[in-house]
Amino acid sequence: MIRFSHFFTLLVFTVVSLFSVTGCGVAMMSDERLARQSKSQFSQMKKKDPVSKNAKYQRMVKRIGKRITDVAKVDVPGTEWEFVVFDKSEPNAFAMPGGKVGVNSGLIELANEDEDEVAAVIGHEVAHVARRHSNKRMSQGVGVALGGIILDTAMRNKSSGDRALARGAYGVGATVGAVLPFSRSQEREADDLGLIYAAKAGYDPRASIRFWKKMQSKSRRKMPQFLSTHPDSGNRINYLESKMPYAMNLYRNAK
Ligand SMILES: [Zn+2]
């Protein structure tokens, strides 16, 4: 009983501190506040998780990030873009509020170091930030906050990166059950906008289909959990194909 009430107090405190109240009940956390928290999580990750020493990879993601964000013109307050490669073998990438984007070296390898393919993923991640998907998901309510506490507790022994992911980052090729699945509509929105960003930035949009096909066959063979966080990856390819004439037009105009 004591234990429960203690837990309840902790829960209420956490929920209150998680959500800013604006006079009309539980609201979205301010973008600035969320960006600050993400920035500190991201700098923790860079201290604890292996940052890739591959200078070519680091230059590549920074170059792609600059070109994509130049055309995306994201106006979410508190956003300061940063693109970092982590030395991890699973093909994964994530973006956090505040514009912090991580790409695993394994993803660049799966893309055969093809810049257009990596740009497809970075476009998708930038789109999640642009549309404030994390904030929207958190504002869905206490259920998510409670889930966050349980995840934090369950993941005490995991790397700081995995914990940060569990708390509200976005993942492409997300690992384990750590990442709450995105809603299908958020994934679709990120696919759509990401394709447009990459094409406008001068990256061949057809590379997105190439990359997602590789991701799909890899997830079938080795990472069944991928399908639980990205359940519509088959539809994703059909959708991208349907958007290709439009994207190719943007791409040709960008060149
Ligand atoms: Zn996504």
Side-chain angles (χ1 to χ4, degrees):
M1 201 58 186
I2 289 165
R3 190 173 291 170
F4 175 80
S5 66
H6 179 74
F7 176 73
F8 188 72
T9 308
L10 176 72
L11 174 64
V12 169
F13 177 77
T14 307
V15 168
V16 168
S17 63
L18 270 174
F19 295 96
S20 59
V21 178
T22 62
C24 52
V26 175
M28 291 174 85
M29 194 190 283
S30 83
D31 290 313
E32 287 92 344
R33 186 162 171 210
L34 197 56
R36 268 201 308 280
Q37 291 185 357
S38 291
K39 275 172 208 168
S40 84
Q41 275 179 21
F42 196 70
S43 43
Q44 291 297 316
M45 287 170 68
K46 286 192 292 181
K47 278 179 209 144
K48 287 179 184 157
D49 291 339
V51 171
S52 172
K53 293 187 173 68
N54 187 324
K56 192 172 91 174
Y57 284 7
Q58 296 292 2
R59 276 199 306 273
M60 186 203 281
V61 301
K62 280 170 180 55
R63 183 166 59 234
I64 296 169
K66 168 99 174 69
R67 276 170 65 176
I68 300 256
T69 53
D70 278 354
V71 297
K73 297 185 176 72
V74 174
D75 62 357
V76 181
T79 303
E80 290 167 21
W81 294 106
E82 187 178 354
F83 297 85
V84 174
V85 180
F86 289 92
D87 190 22
K88 289 184 167 183
S89 61
E90 73 263 23
N92 195 6
F94 64 91
M96 296 162 83
K100 304 302 172 193
V101 178
V103 178
N104 283 1
S105 51
L107 187 143
I108 299 173
E109 281 151 25
L110 183 69
N112 303 109
E113 304 183 10
D114 179 318
E115 202 150 332
D116 293 307
E117 290 188 27
V118 179
V121 174
I122 290 182
H124 178 102
E125 299 299 339
V126 167
H128 275 310
V129 176
R131 289 294 156 93
R132 306 161 76 230
H133 285 166
S134 180
N135 205 342
K136 284 175 188 162
R137 205 169 43 145
M138 288 169 76
S139 70
Q140 281 162 359
V142 174
V144 175
L146 177 59
I149 294 168
I150 291 168
L151 275 171
D152 262 3
T153 309
M155 297 195 66
R156 224 160 246 166
N157 298 323
K158 301 279 183 181
S159 75
S160 60
D162 288 341
R163 273 185 280 119
L165 278 172
R167 277 196 221 98
Y170 317 103
V172 162
T175 54
V176 296
V179 177
L180 299 169
F182 279 110
S183 73
R184 286 173 186 227
S185 65
Q186 286 180 332
E187 280 299 315
R188 174 124 308 171
E189 198 172 24
D191 283 340
D192 185 27
L193 199 55
L195 188 69
I196 291 168
Y197 287 163
K200 279 188 174 170
Y203 292 108
D204 188 339
R206 290 168 293 193
S208 62
I209 291 170
R210 264 199 324 267
F211 177 79
W212 285 111
K213 279 184 175 165
K214 284 185 211 168
M215 198 69 156
Q216 196 179 35
S217 70
K218 195 169 171 66
S219 68
R220 283 217 181 99
R221 281 182 288 121
K222 285 184 185 164
M223 312 187 297
Q225 65 271 38
F226 173 78
L227 294 172
S228 66
T229 48
H230 290 77
D232 58 346
S233 60
N235 294 337
R236 159 175 283 137
I237 289 163
N238 294 340
Y239 179 73
L240 291 170
E241 274 166 354
S242 77
K243 286 276 176 176
M244 208 42 69
Y246 175 68
M248 283 304 288
N249 217 16
L250 292 174
Y251 175 53
R252 283 188 208 102
N253 289 335
K255 284 213 293 185

Short mmCIF file of all heavy atoms in Angstrom, two decimals, residues 180-220:
data_model
loop_
_atom_site.label_atom_id
_atom_site.label_comp_id
_atom_site.label_asym_id
_atom_site.label_seq_id
_atom_site.Cartn_x
_atom_site.Cartn_y
_atom_site.Cartn_z
N LEU A 180 8.21 2.73 -29.02
CA LEU A 180 6.78 2.62 -29.23
C LEU A 180 6.53 2.82 -30.73
O LEU A 180 7.08 3.73 -31.32
CB LEU A 180 6.05 3.71 -28.44
CG LEU A 180 6.25 3.67 -26.93
CD1 LEU A 180 5.70 4.93 -26.29
CD2 LEU A 180 5.57 2.45 -26.34
N PRO A 181 5.71 1.95 -31.31
CA PRO A 181 5.52 2.09 -32.76
C PRO A 181 4.90 3.45 -33.10
O PRO A 181 4.08 3.95 -32.36
CB PRO A 181 4.54 0.97 -33.09
CG PRO A 181 4.41 0.13 -31.88
CD PRO A 181 4.93 0.89 -30.71
N PHE A 182 5.32 3.99 -34.20
CA PHE A 182 4.67 5.19 -34.69
C PHE A 182 3.31 4.83 -35.19
O PHE A 182 3.07 3.70 -35.60
CB PHE A 182 5.45 5.78 -35.86
CG PHE A 182 6.59 6.58 -35.39
CD1 PHE A 182 7.87 6.14 -35.58
CD2 PHE A 182 6.37 7.76 -34.72
CE1 PHE A 182 8.93 6.86 -35.10
CE2 PHE A 182 7.43 8.48 -34.24
CZ PHE A 182 8.71 8.03 -34.43
N SER A 183 2.45 5.83 -35.20
CA SER A 183 1.18 5.58 -35.85
C SER A 183 1.46 5.47 -37.34
O SER A 183 2.42 6.04 -37.86
CB SER A 183 0.21 6.72 -35.55
OG SER A 183 0.59 7.87 -36.27
N ARG A 184 0.61 4.73 -38.00
CA ARG A 184 0.79 4.57 -39.45
C ARG A 184 0.69 5.90 -40.16
O ARG A 184 1.40 6.14 -41.14
CB ARG A 184 -0.25 3.60 -40.00
CG ARG A 184 0.07 2.18 -39.62
CD ARG A 184 -1.02 1.20 -40.01
NE ARG A 184 -0.65 -0.10 -39.46
CZ ARG A 184 -0.69 -1.23 -40.15
NH1 ARG A 184 -1.08 -1.23 -41.41
NH2 ARG A 184 -0.33 -2.36 -39.57
N SER A 185 -0.16 6.76 -39.66
CA SER A 185 -0.31 8.05 -40.35
C SER A 185 0.95 8.89 -40.19
O SER A 185 1.34 9.62 -41.10
CB SER A 185 -1.55 8.79 -39.86
OG SER A 185 -1.40 9.14 -38.50
N GLN A 186 1.63 8.79 -39.04
CA GLN A 186 2.89 9.53 -38.87
C GLN A 186 3.97 8.98 -39.79
O GLN A 186 4.74 9.73 -40.38
CB GLN A 186 3.36 9.45 -37.41
CG GLN A 186 2.54 10.32 -36.48
CD GLN A 186 3.02 10.25 -35.04
OE1 GLN A 186 3.58 9.23 -34.61
NE2 GLN A 186 2.80 11.31 -34.29
N GLU A 187 4.02 7.66 -39.89
CA GLU A 187 5.01 7.05 -40.79
C GLU A 187 4.76 7.48 -42.24
O GLU A 187 5.69 7.79 -42.98
CB GLU A 187 4.97 5.52 -40.68
CG GLU A 187 5.72 4.99 -39.48
CD GLU A 187 7.20 5.35 -39.53
OE1 GLU A 187 7.83 5.19 -40.59
OE2 GLU A 187 7.73 5.80 -38.51
N ARG A 188 3.49 7.47 -42.62
CA ARG A 188 3.15 7.86 -43.99
C ARG A 188 3.53 9.31 -44.26
O ARG A 188 4.07 9.65 -45.30
CB ARG A 188 1.65 7.64 -44.23
CG ARG A 188 1.21 8.15 -45.58
CD ARG A 188 0.53 7.10 -46.42
NE ARG A 188 1.30 5.88 -46.56
CZ ARG A 188 0.84 4.76 -47.10
NH1 ARG A 188 -0.39 4.71 -47.54
NH2 ARG A 188 1.60 3.70 -47.19
N GLU A 189 3.24 10.14 -43.28
CA GLU A 189 3.56 11.56 -43.41
C GLU A 189 5.08 11.75 -43.58
O GLU A 189 5.53 12.55 -44.40
CB GLU A 189 3.06 12.32 -42.18
CG GLU A 189 2.94 13.80 -42.39
CD GLU A 189 2.26 14.51 -41.22
OE1 GLU A 189 2.28 14.00 -40.07
OE2 GLU A 189 1.72 15.59 -41.44
N ALA A 190 5.85 11.00 -42.78
CA ALA A 190 7.31 11.11 -42.86
C ALA A 190 7.82 10.56 -44.19
O ALA A 190 8.77 11.11 -44.77
CB ALA A 190 7.96 10.36 -41.69
N ASP A 191 7.19 9.50 -44.70
CA ASP A 191 7.58 8.97 -46.01
C ASP A 191 7.32 10.00 -47.11
O ASP A 191 8.15 10.23 -47.97
CB ASP A 191 6.79 7.69 -46.34
CG ASP A 191 7.31 6.48 -45.60
OD1 ASP A 191 8.47 6.52 -45.14
OD2 ASP A 191 6.56 5.49 -45.48
N ASP A 192 6.15 10.59 -47.04
CA ASP A 192 5.73 11.54 -48.06
C ASP A 192 6.63 12.77 -48.07
O ASP A 192 7.23 13.14 -49.08
CB ASP A 192 4.27 11.94 -47.77
CG ASP A 192 3.69 12.83 -48.86
OD1 ASP A 192 4.16 12.72 -50.01
OD2 ASP A 192 2.79 13.62 -48.57
N LEU A 193 6.75 13.39 -46.90
CA LEU A 193 7.52 14.62 -46.79
C LEU A 193 9.01 14.35 -47.00
O LEU A 193 9.71 15.15 -47.64
CB LEU A 193 7.26 15.23 -45.40
CG LEU A 193 7.58 16.69 -45.20
CD1 LEU A 193 6.86 17.55 -46.22
CD2 LEU A 193 7.16 17.10 -43.78
N GLY A 194 9.48 13.23 -46.48
CA GLY A 194 10.90 12.88 -46.63
C GLY A 194 11.29 12.71 -48.09
O GLY A 194 12.37 13.14 -48.52
N LEU A 195 10.39 12.10 -48.86
CA LEU A 195 10.63 11.92 -50.30
C LEU A 195 10.74 13.27 -51.00
O LEU A 195 11.63 13.49 -51.83
CB LEU A 195 9.47 11.10 -50.89
CG LEU A 195 9.62 10.62 -52.34
CD1 LEU A 195 10.69 9.56 -52.44
CD2 LEU A 195 8.28 10.08 -52.84
N ILE A 196 9.87 14.18 -50.63
CA ILE A 196 9.86 15.52 -51.23
C ILE A 196 11.14 16.28 -50.86
O ILE A 196 11.79 16.89 -51.72
CB ILE A 196 8.60 16.30 -50.79
CG1 ILE A 196 7.36 15.66 -51.43
CG2 ILE A 196 8.69 17.78 -51.13
CD1 ILE A 196 6.04 16.14 -50.87
N TYR A 197 11.51 16.23 -49.59
CA TYR A 197 12.74 16.90 -49.14
C TYR A 197 13.95 16.41 -49.94
O TYR A 197 14.75 17.19 -50.42
CB TYR A 197 13.02 16.62 -47.66
CG TYR A 197 12.13 17.30 -46.66
CD1 TYR A 197 12.08 16.84 -45.35
CD2 TYR A 197 11.37 18.43 -46.99
CE1 TYR A 197 11.28 17.45 -44.39
CE2 TYR A 197 10.57 19.04 -46.04
CZ TYR A 197 10.53 18.55 -44.74
OH TYR A 197 9.75 19.15 -43.79
N ALA A 198 14.10 15.08 -50.00
CA ALA A 198 15.28 14.50 -50.65
C ALA A 198 15.32 14.91 -52.12
O ALA A 198 16.37 15.32 -52.63
CB ALA A 198 15.29 12.98 -50.50
N ALA A 199 14.17 14.84 -52.80
CA ALA A 199 14.13 15.19 -54.22
C ALA A 199 14.46 16.67 -54.43
O ALA A 199 15.24 17.03 -55.31
CB ALA A 199 12.74 14.88 -54.79
N LYS A 200 13.89 17.53 -53.59
CA LYS A 200 14.17 18.97 -53.71
C LYS A 200 15.64 19.28 -53.44
O LYS A 200 16.17 20.25 -53.96
CB LYS A 200 13.30 19.76 -52.71
CG LYS A 200 11.89 19.99 -53.17
CD LYS A 200 11.19 20.94 -52.19
CE LYS A 200 9.81 21.32 -52.67
NZ LYS A 200 9.07 22.04 -51.62
N ALA A 201 16.25 18.46 -52.58
CA ALA A 201 17.67 18.67 -52.26
C ALA A 201 18.58 18.09 -53.34
O ALA A 201 19.80 18.16 -53.22
CB ALA A 201 17.99 18.06 -50.90
N GLY A 202 17.98 17.49 -54.37
CA GLY A 202 18.78 16.98 -55.48
C GLY A 202 19.22 15.53 -55.34
O GLY A 202 20.13 15.09 -56.03
N TYR A 203 18.57 14.79 -54.44
CA TYR A 203 18.88 13.36 -54.30
C TYR A 203 17.85 12.56 -55.08
O TYR A 203 16.65 12.87 -55.04
CB TYR A 203 18.86 12.94 -52.83
CG TYR A 203 19.99 13.55 -52.03
CD1 TYR A 203 19.77 14.57 -51.11
CD2 TYR A 203 21.30 13.12 -52.23
CE1 TYR A 203 20.81 15.14 -50.39
CE2 TYR A 203 22.35 13.68 -51.52
CZ TYR A 203 22.09 14.68 -50.60
OH TYR A 203 23.13 15.25 -49.91
N ASP A 204 18.32 11.52 -55.75
CA ASP A 204 17.44 10.70 -56.59
C ASP A 204 16.39 9.99 -55.74
O ASP A 204 16.73 9.13 -54.92
CB ASP A 204 18.28 9.67 -57.35
CG ASP A 204 17.46 8.92 -58.39
OD1 ASP A 204 16.22 8.89 -58.27
OD2 ASP A 204 18.07 8.34 -59.31
N PRO A 205 15.11 10.35 -55.90
CA PRO A 205 14.08 9.78 -55.02
C PRO A 205 13.88 8.27 -55.23
O PRO A 205 13.37 7.60 -54.33
CB PRO A 205 12.81 10.55 -55.40
CG PRO A 205 13.08 11.15 -56.73
CD PRO A 205 14.56 11.33 -56.85
N ARG A 206 14.30 7.75 -56.39
CA ARG A 206 14.15 6.30 -56.62
C ARG A 206 14.99 5.49 -55.64
O ARG A 206 14.71 4.32 -55.39
CB ARG A 206 14.57 5.96 -58.06
CG ARG A 206 13.58 6.48 -59.09
CD ARG A 206 14.13 6.40 -60.48
NE ARG A 206 15.26 7.32 -60.67
CZ ARG A 206 15.78 7.64 -61.85
NH1 ARG A 206 15.28 7.13 -62.95
NH2 ARG A 206 16.80 8.48 -61.93
N ALA A 207 16.00 6.13 -55.06
CA ALA A 207 16.85 5.43 -54.09
C ALA A 207 16.07 5.01 -52.85
O ALA A 207 16.42 4.04 -52.18
CB ALA A 207 18.02 6.33 -53.68
N SER A 208 14.98 5.73 -52.55
CA SER A 208 14.19 5.38 -51.36
C SER A 208 13.62 3.97 -51.51
O SER A 208 13.63 3.18 -50.56
CB SER A 208 13.06 6.39 -51.14
OG SER A 208 12.16 6.37 -52.25
N ILE A 209 13.15 3.64 -52.71
CA ILE A 209 12.57 2.31 -52.94
C ILE A 209 13.65 1.23 -52.85
O ILE A 209 13.45 0.20 -52.21
CB ILE A 209 11.83 2.28 -54.30
CG1 ILE A 209 10.58 3.18 -54.19
CG2 ILE A 209 11.45 0.85 -54.68
CD1 ILE A 209 9.90 3.44 -55.49
N ARG A 210 14.79 1.53 -53.45
CA ARG A 210 15.93 0.59 -53.34
C ARG A 210 16.25 0.30 -51.88
O ARG A 210 16.39 -0.85 -51.48
CB ARG A 210 17.17 1.22 -53.98
CG ARG A 210 17.42 0.83 -55.39
CD ARG A 210 18.84 1.08 -55.87
NE ARG A 210 19.56 2.25 -55.39
CZ ARG A 210 19.59 3.44 -56.01
NH1 ARG A 210 18.89 3.64 -57.12
NH2 ARG A 210 20.32 4.42 -55.53
N PHE A 211 16.35 1.37 -51.11
CA PHE A 211 16.75 1.20 -49.71
C PHE A 211 15.70 0.42 -48.91
O PHE A 211 16.02 -0.50 -48.18
CB PHE A 211 17.02 2.55 -49.03
CG PHE A 211 17.34 2.39 -47.58
CD1 PHE A 211 18.62 2.00 -47.20
CD2 PHE A 211 16.38 2.54 -46.60
CE1 PHE A 211 18.92 1.79 -45.86
CE2 PHE A 211 16.67 2.33 -45.26
CZ PHE A 211 17.95 1.95 -44.89
N TRP A 212 14.44 0.80 -49.06
CA TRP A 212 13.40 0.14 -48.25
C TRP A 212 13.23 -1.32 -48.63
O TRP A 212 12.86 -2.14 -47.79
CB TRP A 212 12.07 0.90 -48.35
CG TRP A 212 12.10 2.17 -47.55
CD1 TRP A 212 12.09 3.44 -48.02
CD2 TRP A 212 12.17 2.28 -46.12
NE1 TRP A 212 12.15 4.34 -46.98
CE2 TRP A 212 12.21 3.65 -45.80
CE3 TRP A 212 12.22 1.35 -45.07
CZ2 TRP A 212 12.28 4.13 -44.50
CZ3 TRP A 212 12.29 1.82 -43.77
CH2 TRP A 212 12.32 3.19 -43.50
N LYS A 213 13.51 -1.65 -49.89
CA LYS A 213 13.46 -3.07 -50.28
C LYS A 213 14.54 -3.86 -49.56
O LYS A 213 14.31 -4.97 -49.08
CB LYS A 213 13.59 -3.21 -51.79
CG LYS A 213 12.27 -2.94 -52.51
CD LYS A 213 12.36 -3.18 -54.00
CE LYS A 213 10.98 -3.03 -54.63
NZ LYS A 213 11.04 -2.90 -56.09
N LYS A 214 15.73 -3.29 -49.47
CA LYS A 214 16.82 -3.96 -48.72
C LYS A 214 16.45 -4.11 -47.25
O LYS A 214 16.66 -5.15 -46.65
CB LYS A 214 18.10 -3.11 -48.79
CG LYS A 214 18.83 -3.18 -50.10
CD LYS A 214 20.14 -2.39 -49.95
CE LYS A 214 20.53 -1.77 -51.26
NZ LYS A 214 21.62 -0.78 -51.09
N MET A 215 15.90 -3.04 -46.70
CA MET A 215 15.51 -3.04 -45.30
C MET A 215 14.46 -4.12 -45.05
O MET A 215 14.52 -4.85 -44.06
CB MET A 215 14.96 -1.65 -44.97
CG MET A 215 14.90 -1.34 -43.52
SD MET A 215 16.56 -1.14 -42.84
CE MET A 215 16.15 -0.13 -41.44
N GLN A 216 13.53 -4.21 -45.98
CA GLN A 216 12.45 -5.18 -45.85
C GLN A 216 12.98 -6.61 -45.90
O GLN A 216 12.60 -7.44 -45.08
CB GLN A 216 11.46 -4.95 -46.98
CG GLN A 216 10.12 -5.61 -46.77
CD GLN A 216 9.18 -5.32 -47.92
OE1 GLN A 216 9.62 -5.22 -49.08
NE2 GLN A 216 7.92 -5.17 -47.63
N SER A 217 13.88 -6.88 -46.84
CA SER A 217 14.35 -8.27 -46.93
C SER A 217 15.24 -8.60 -45.74
O SER A 217 15.22 -9.72 -45.23
CB SER A 217 15.06 -8.52 -48.25
OG SER A 217 16.28 -7.84 -48.28
N LYS A 218 15.98 -7.60 -45.24
CA LYS A 218 16.79 -7.84 -44.06
C LYS A 218 15.91 -8.10 -42.84
O LYS A 218 16.18 -8.98 -42.03
CB LYS A 218 17.70 -6.65 -43.79
CG LYS A 218 18.81 -6.95 -42.81
CD LYS A 218 19.83 -5.84 -42.77
CE LYS A 218 20.83 -6.02 -41.66
NZ LYS A 218 21.69 -7.19 -41.81
N SER A 219 14.82 -7.34 -42.74
CA SER A 219 13.96 -7.51 -41.57
C SER A 219 13.24 -8.86 -41.61
O SER A 219 12.98 -9.46 -40.58
CB SER A 219 12.96 -6.36 -41.46
OG SER A 219 12.03 -6.42 -42.52
N ARG A 220 12.96 -9.34 -42.81
CA ARG A 220 12.33 -10.67 -42.91
C ARG A 220 13.28 -11.75 -42.45
O ARG A 220 12.90 -12.70 -41.79
CB ARG A 220 11.93 -10.95 -44.37
CG ARG A 220 10.67 -10.19 -44.76
CD ARG A 220 9.78 -10.99 -45.68
NE ARG A 220 8.61 -10.19 -46.02
CZ ARG A 220 8.51 -9.51 -47.15
NH1 ARG A 220 9.47 -9.55 -48.05
NH2 ARG A 220 7.43 -8.80 -47.40
#
